[in-house]
Amino acid sequence: MDQYRDFAFIYDELMNEVDYDGWVRYIEDIIKDENAQVQNILELACGTGNLTIPLTKKNYDIAGIDISDEMLSVAREKAEKEGVELVLLQQDIAELDFDIINLDCVLCACDGFNYITYDDDLENVFAKTHELLKEEGIFIFDISSFYKLSTVLGNNTYGENREDVAYMWQNYFDDEENLVEMELAFFVKDEDGKFDRFEEVHQQRAYTEDEIVEMLEEAGFKNIKVYGDFKLESPKEDSQRIFFVCRK
Ligand SMILES: C[S@@+](CC[C@H](N)C(=O)[O-])C[C@H]1O[C@@H](n2cnc3c(N)ncnc32)[C@H](O)[C@@H]1O
């Protein structure tokens, strides 16, 4: 079952409580803290452009890549409405193929790398990113923490009943493979007031900080910093979002 197919068209509605402006500010704080010179950014797993569009408005030159045509079509529609020009490519980042090199920054936000479930694939993404960056180029990304995927989302079930959309979200955590399987069922109100049902199964990999740091070192990255929960400080045991910042 494809991920982010029908879900793409209600993704922004369900993410409406995420503070993307704060996310953009945090990314800019990191860039400032690192004293990095950033004009161009390649954004991996850019989705519906929730960071791509505001960062473009801040005059960064951005190209976004995502595997889901549907997420990209929503991004295109939003960009057009806001009069923003975006370069968007449909690609599996596990087989990243981008021919512009000497990039200032590569970015991946909000779980993009949790969707890369095999070590080999993530190692390939890191190696390719290293290749694409300029000397001293900066790589910024975040993942949902091992704690969040194994314990918070873990084997729990969530649901929400909104006016126009309702969903059931059942999780199963496999502690041998460190994979969480998310079974999502959505009910979306159509023009006649009836609810259409669709389902998606998502799989996310829980990575420890040490696993990621080891892979980054293997790919040749240096000055690796690990932050938790939108602070420029080390993560705590119960941090749910872990940020990695490193340089070529
Ligand atoms: C939770 S969404 C985050 C989207 C966006 N970064 C944001 O902050 O709203 C995860 C995104 O990862 C994308 N994705 C998952 N696996 C991918 C892959 N192998 N290659 C490229 N994109 C992928 C999905 O299509 C989806 O758009």
Side-chain angles (χ1 to χ4, degrees):
M1 213 176 300
D2 288 344
Q3 300 177 149
Y4 292 98
R5 197 185 45 199
D6 298 299
F7 180 28
F9 302 103
I10 53 167
Y11 177 81
D12 284 344
E13 191 178 337
L14 295 184
M15 296 292 273
N16 65 350
E17 279 169 17
V18 176
D19 177 12
Y20 280 106
D21 290 339
W23 210 310
V24 168
R25 277 197 302 277
Y26 182 62
I27 290 165
E28 289 205 296
D29 284 350
I30 290 174
I31 292 172
K32 205 165 152 204
D33 187 61
E34 287 284 316
N35 205 11
Q37 303 305 312
V38 175
Q39 179 55 47
N40 59 58
I41 302 176
L42 173 63
E43 188 190 353
L44 307 178
C46 64
T48 60
N50 287 331
L51 294 175
T52 335
I53 294 171
L55 285 168
T56 305
K57 284 183 178 167
K58 283 179 167 279
N59 288 327
Y60 294 102
D61 304 319
I62 306 201
I65 292 183
D66 200 280
I67 198 168
S68 161
D69 260 335
E70 290 81 358
M71 292 293 268
L72 292 175
S73 77
V74 174
R76 275 189 203 101
E77 204 174 300
K78 280 165 37 182
E80 199 176 320
K81 259 192 209 141
E82 297 193 36
V84 168
E85 276 196 34
L86 291 184
V87 177
L88 297 172
L89 303 169
Q90 194 264 329
Q91 248 184 52
D92 179 350
I93 54 171
E95 292 162 20
L96 186 58
D97 181 16
F98 193 70
D99 49 19
I100 300 174
I101 54 164
N102 286 327
L103 298 173
D104 299 334
C105 176
V106 175
L107 177 69
C108 183
C110 193
D111 296 359
F113 290 153
N114 293 108
Y115 281 96
I116 306 297
T117 56
Y118 294 106
D119 285 2
D120 288 0
D121 286 339
L122 193 57
E123 281 160 13
N124 279 344
V125 182
F126 289 176
K128 186 69 192 178
T129 298
H130 191 268
E131 215 177 288
L132 292 175
L133 283 167
K134 68 178 184 188
E135 282 311 313
E136 293 295 323
I138 185 167
F139 186 23
I140 306 172
F141 63 93
D142 65 80
I143 57 169
S144 278
S145 66
F146 195 97
Y147 164 76
K148 177 182 174 188
L149 293 182
S150 63
T151 309
V152 181
L153 300 185
N155 289 301
N156 288 324
T157 297
Y158 297 86
E160 216 184 322
N161 188 9
R162 299 189 185 191
E163 182 62 27
D164 295 329
V165 53
Y167 66 85
M168 286 283 297
W169 172 15
Q170 289 173 288
N171 295 325
Y172 304 93
F173 187 69
D174 173 343
D175 57 12
E176 280 179 16
E177 304 291 335
N178 294 335
L179 286 176
V180 58
E181 184 163 287
M182 304 167 171
E183 292 183 5
L184 296 150
F186 299 96
F187 306 86
V188 182
K189 206 187 233 176
D190 66 16
E191 286 153 4
D192 305 324
K194 291 197 195 114
F195 280 82
D196 295 322
R197 175 192 166 116
F198 65 87
E199 292 176 18
E200 291 192 5
V201 177
H202 290 210
Q203 237 189 14
Q204 286 198 11
R205 166 84 182 272
Y207 289 100
T208 64
E209 289 161 37
D210 288 349
E211 282 174 319
I212 297 282
V213 168
E214 201 177 306
M215 287 186 203
L216 288 170
E217 282 171 349
E218 190 62 33
F221 285 100
K222 57 188 188 195
N223 298 336
I224 302 168
K225 292 172 189 149
V226 187
Y227 299 134
D229 293 332
F230 297 93
K231 300 197 177 88
L232 297 177
E233 291 167 13
S234 300
K236 305 204 165 49
E237 259 175 41
D238 61 352
S239 291
Q240 297 204 21
R241 190 150 297 285
I242 312 292
F243 289 83
F244 296 84
V245 179
C246 54
R247 308 294 283 261
K248 177 165 175 175

